[in-house]
Amino acid sequence: MSFTNGDVRKSALLTPHSSTTSSRVSTPGSDASIHRVKNVPGYTTPVFEGKQAQRTKAYETVAAKGFIPRELVKNEVAWFYDNLGIDDTYFHNESVEVISDHIIALYGAKVLAYTKHDPSKLVIQLEKITTADDATGGVEGAFFIHTSRPGVSATEGPGATCERRIDQLYLDHSNPAQAYRLETYRSTGAISAGNSQQLRCYFVSRCTFPAQAPKATLAGRTDIRAVSDINFLEKATANTLDIYQDVMWNVETRHGPVIELYEVEGTRERRIVIGYKMGGTTHFFSALSDLYHYYNLYSARKYVEQFSNGITIISLYLNPLPNSTAPPIENSIFQVVKEASLLFCLPDNIFFRTGPADSGAFDTSHAVQEATYAYCGWIFAQHFCNRLGAAYIGLKNVLDESNPDHAEVLNNIKRRFREETFTREGIANVIQAHPELIRMLYVNFAMTHYPSAEEGSSIMPTLSYQRLRTEQPLTDEELYAKIKRTVPNKHDAQVLESFLVFNRHVLKTNFYQPTKVALSFRLAPDFLPDVEYPKKPFGVFFVIGSEFRGFHIRFKDVARGGIRIILSKGKETYSINQRMLFDENYALASTQSLKNKDIPEGGSKGTILPSLGASPRLCFEKYVDAIIDLLIPGTTPGIKNPIVDLYDKPELLFFGPDEGTADMMDWAALHARARGASSWWKSFTTGKSASKLGGVPHDVYGMTSLSVRQYVLGIYKHLGLREKDVTKLQTGGPDGDLGSNEILLSSDKTIAVIDGSGVLADPAGIDREELVRLAKLRKPVSHFDQTKLTKNGYLVRVEDQDVKLPSGEVVADGTDFRNSAHLRFKADIFVPCGGRPEAVNISNVGALVDHEGKPHFKYIVEGANLFLTQQARLFLEKRKVILYKDSSANKGGVTCSSLDVLAGLSLRDKEFFDLMTFQDGKPTEFYQSYVKDIQQKITENAAAEFQCIHKEHLRLKGSKPRTIISDELSSIINDLQDELENSDLFDDVPSRRGVLTRAIPDTLREKVGLDELLQRLPEQYQRALFSSWVASHYVYRYGVAASSVDFFHFVRDLAA
């Protein structure tokens, strides 16, 4: 059996008037431009030469099986081959046995429909899936054939799930190593004489790509013919290849989808071609059907092509339904293009998708924009509906939060309220129950954020705007009153009011950007209740993607902090992480702001919560790209348009590595550069690779450890201790940044080290030489040479079970033992250098005190972030433990990152690459000198803060815990910094120059020159640098109780 193309090969899908590129027309009232093309297909129509012979065999097989009366067999076979309009691809690929079974199945479906006395009940479902194991010389893939009404998304029967199954089985998981292409057609004939329904045919096949590496054109771009499936190359016309080539090149240079629109000459047909990177979205193919069906359009043909360079291209041939009352396709097609971008971001939107009752989708009349708004409001409400209320506030006023037991009770009640008051399902049901109010709330949102075509003009007259014009916009007050009037249930009203809160506080969004990969919103933080969030953030970014949600919170205009990916082990953990995401982000950013008191950048933090099974890397890339949408003004019509910016000020964000993102900082910086952030891409991220992008790695140069060590050494100095006599417990092992450097810098008697691989202990002191060996190799304690242990020493790995310790104790499970091991040891000093947040909390801190009331440790220097809760710290200090908390001890890394940012802002691109990146595989002399400057500033700042806390504790004769002194010190410095930024002290030029001369490292200042630096650095950054240096150095010198006279003396000397 074979196909013949003969005369069937036609001109292209997108044949232009006179060349291989179509003419392009910019259409008023749209974001899209449209190509005008001739009415010819872009793929050859296959003709199966052996069809007649196969038909004869099928007739004989059907007749022999005896299920159909012999006198009817000829008509049934003829109808199947001639009248249904099934594409020859089916007959070419399938055996006579399969085809005969399908003819019998069709006949049986007709009989069943007849018994129901309803021709519309005639349902046909034919399918065959061939796996790789089944292929045996054939083609791995599938076909699906079912009854289909044009222009309608089915909610029952095979059509309700077919495309979703194709997405799930084949398209969503396609990658260059295993990709699947799809061809789907609507049959030209009816399924029976009494039923006008047509068949929809889907053909899926495994791609076969060229074995050789992809070729590049002269411009360095991919040649489509070198990365195409061989079947696609046989069927696609030359002009189709040209069109797809252009789309491919555009996809290679963009992070989001490329969407092109084509008007077919002499017809009302429109064709849409969409290109994007494989894995960039999921369930997109099936979601597109729901989209064009909403506008009463149907598809004659659809194609999904995969390419071995990781690009997917979808083609849709769309036509209007006859006698439709929907807006004409000439208008609605632009809405389809516009809303396809939103669908790319959220293809599984439960407020838009149709489907069977068990699919989780709601019956809805919302357009995609309204449904997307509903989805975003749904996520917002989950986080920000006030879940505590008057009862909690009353209890909070009665209890004493400084009492650890009372604080724990309040925390438990808060967590319980958040779990039970407003559930995801409950909020979704409220949204579904009030579609008209959601529509009004959307109009309220859109009337603010829908962009104008040009400055001073009215909103573009697209269908979106026409829909807005049919609604009477209500003011915030009128909407609030309407919700109160029409929603008697207070619980439901509170959910809907949260949408209004959302509308009021969105300052800018990429919601209406023509292309995007996730939705982002810059929120004014005024809506956050003081009872839960006593310190108001400066700004909040809210990001929503199909695979994740995320936040970015900063406490100052100029701020820096890490981006953390929060992974969930299962559904229960994911549900908890969903509820606590914003609170965790807020706590991390707040802690960061305390730690950042020495530097110009205030505290910030970003969090990303991937859905179960989602790619963390993809989530991070979408998160970053969506935030950049709000930082860089759009200047490319139809791709990145200007947005409505109510904030109306430039914003700078500085990202750093955190859990799960350490290897992604290079990509983020380079992506910002590609997006056009020419002035700040070098400083956009810290933690970049040293050799290629001039980053300063904290671990290589021990930056974080330098500050921790100042506190450890400060304790030894003031108490007259000899380090080699001091016993120590350490969490965070020799494989980690802080843990390895703590080992390399110390000379104490370490009696136990706990890390991710297990527990290493030796009461006589762990062999220092062996510890150093592991630290230099960055290997965990599981690699410790156990021959170096004394008779009472032991190593318990997390995978071990039923291990007997030298004491005779039996460890049943190594992981459980590791998780609680930090509570069992006693030593002079405890230095947490790793471990999960809140590893010591009010519930377990009692285990660190023996039955006589004596603490296990005399001194604690909290190197790991948030290792102890505030209540646990106060509990231990009350029992005379000398404790220095994380925001004081662990600040070397942030100082290093701050000076990394400064170098990026100060140096031009060429200077940066010449001075900060490695030359011939080695760091430059400038780089090495700059690193030494950073190390010196870290040491100076840490020592100064230690002395300040120590002096204040002595002044108060121990009446105030060091933990509280540390917090007050941070708050005083930060508050003074805020006052100074808003004062005119910066305007005093001699003082400004004197401060910045001291604040900027010598190596950088001498290379560039102070005057040039003042020209290059943004003024907001200069103000922050000036204010942070003055505030921190003043407080460190004169203490937290300094007077106004002290400040006068300090300021008087600034210009010196």
Side-chain angles (χ1 to χ4, degrees), residues 182-304:
L182 169 68
E183 300 179 34
T184 173
Y185 316 95
R186 178 167 296 282
S187 68
T188 55
I191 59 176
S192 73
N195 192 322
S196 61
Q197 282 197 86
Q198 297 172 313
L199 291 182
R200 187 90 216 179
C201 308
Y202 301 85
F203 301 99
V204 181
S205 59
R206 174 83 177 264
C207 293
T208 303
F209 295 123
Q212 67 270 24
K215 299 176 183 177
T217 66
L218 291 176
R221 299 180 291 185
T222 304
D223 177 359
I224 193 171
R225 290 164 179 80
V227 293
S228 296
D229 168 68
I230 58 174
N231 289 318
F232 165 70
L233 288 176
E234 287 177 0
K235 295 182 178 183
T237 60
N239 283 329
T240 295
L241 286 171
D242 289 342
I243 293 297
Y244 283 15
Q245 179 74 85
D246 288 340
V247 170
M248 177 178 288
W249 285 342
N250 283 328
V251 172
E252 288 179 324
T253 60
R254 291 190 212 164
H255 199 54
V258 174
I259 305 175
E260 298 288 358
L261 174 60
Y262 301 88
E263 174 186 318
V264 180
E265 210 171 56
T267 74
R268 299 187 71 194
E269 182 175 276
R270 299 293 185 270
R271 298 174 186 174
I272 297 176
V273 179
I274 304 172
Y276 58 93
K277 293 181 174 67
M278 279 183 191
T281 188
T282 56
H283 305 164
F284 187 46
F285 173 72
S286 54
L288 286 170
S289 296
D290 289 336
L291 172 58
Y292 61 72
H293 287 166
Y294 182 85
Y295 293 101
N296 279 16
L297 305 178
Y298 74 92
S299 64
R301 291 170 172 261
K302 297 187 284 189
Y303 300 91
V304 180

Side-chain angles (χ1 to χ4, degrees), residues 937-980:
K937 285 194 176 291
I938 290 172
T939 302
E940 290 173 355
N941 287 342
E945 184 174 357
F946 175 87
Q947 289 296 333
C948 188
I949 295 173
H950 177 72
K951 287 179 181 178
E952 182 65 8
H953 190 264
L954 289 177
R955 187 181 72 83
L956 297 174
K957 299 179 181 179
S959 62
K960 185 177 289 187
R962 292 175 179 83
T963 293
I964 300 300
I965 295 173
S966 173
D967 289 344
E968 290 179 353
L969 179 66
S970 297
S971 296
I972 289 169
I973 292 174
N974 286 335
D975 290 345
L976 179 57
Q977 184 176 349
D978 290 340
E979 289 183 41
L980 290 170

Side-chain angles (χ1 to χ4, degrees), residues 908-920:
R908 306 292 192 208
D909 282 7
K910 186 177 185 308
E911 292 173 332
F912 186 83
F913 283 111
D914 288 345
L915 299 173
M916 292 295 291
T917 61
F918 287 16
Q919 308 297 324
D920 299 324

Side-chain angles (χ1 to χ4, degrees), residues 518-634:
L519 294 159
S520 55
F521 304 87
R522 165 63 159 91
L523 303 176
D526 307 342
F527 65 90
L528 296 173
D530 293 337
V531 66
E532 296 185 64
Y533 309 104
K535 184 177 180 181
K536 200 72 71 182
F538 180 88
V540 175
F541 285 84
F542 178 33
V543 187
I544 301 172
S546 59
E547 312 89 348
F548 74 98
R549 64 181 69 179
F551 290 98
H552 185 273
I553 301 172
R554 75 190 200 271
F555 280 90
K556 286 182 59 180
D557 185 9
V558 177
R560 198 208 69 86
I563 308 300
R564 173 174 296 189
I565 292 177
I566 300 171
L567 298 178
S568 308
K569 293 182 179 178
K571 289 184 178 180
E572 184 177 352
T573 307
Y574 179 69
S575 181
I576 294 170
N577 288 337
Q578 278 185 319
R579 290 194 298 270
M580 301 305 296
L581 181 64
F582 183 81
D583 282 3
E584 180 172 346
N585 199 145
Y586 178 88
L588 290 168
S590 181
T591 299
Q592 192 76 26
S593 69
L594 297 177
K595 190 187 298 185
N596 286 17
K597 54 187 166 289
D598 298 330
I599 61 177
E601 300 88 2
S604 72
K605 210 73 171 182
T607 53
I608 302 170
L609 176 63
S611 303
L612 293 174
S615 162
R617 176 79 183 214
L618 178 64
C619 296
F620 175 82
E621 290 182 2
K622 288 188 174 184
Y623 172 94
V624 169
D625 189 71
I627 287 181
I628 290 177
D629 281 344
L630 304 186
L631 301 180
I632 298 178

Side-chain angles (χ1 to χ4, degrees), residues 320-361:
L321 280 177
N323 305 315
S324 171
T325 59
I329 189 173
E330 289 78 8
N331 289 6
S332 63
I333 195 65
F334 295 107
Q335 201 64 28
V336 172
V337 170
K338 179 187 289 289
E339 295 185 346
S341 171
L342 284 174
L343 270 192
F344 184 86
C345 298
L346 294 175
D348 276 328
N349 187 344
I350 62 172
F351 302 108
F352 178 73
R353 294 300 300 266
T354 57
D358 60 353
S359 68

Side-chain angles (χ1 to χ4, degrees), residues 170-171 174 179-181 207 209 227-229 278 304-308 311-313:
Y170 300 105
L171 303 183
S174 283
Y180 298 90
R181 67 181 298 267
C207 293
F209 295 123
V227 293
S228 296
D229 168 68
M278 279 183 191
V304 180
E305 304 295 354
Q306 313 283 4
F307 300 92
S308 64
I311 286 175
T312 299
I313 295 179

Side-chain angles (χ1 to χ4, degrees), residues 643-670:
I643 60 174
V644 176
D645 185 356
L646 303 182
Y647 184 64
D648 199 27
K649 298 176 185 175
E651 290 192 275
L652 284 178
L653 298 185
F654 303 121
F655 292 171
D658 205 298
E659 293 178 14
T661 62
D663 61 343
M664 303 179 191
M665 294 298 108
D666 282 12
W667 178 89
L670 293 173

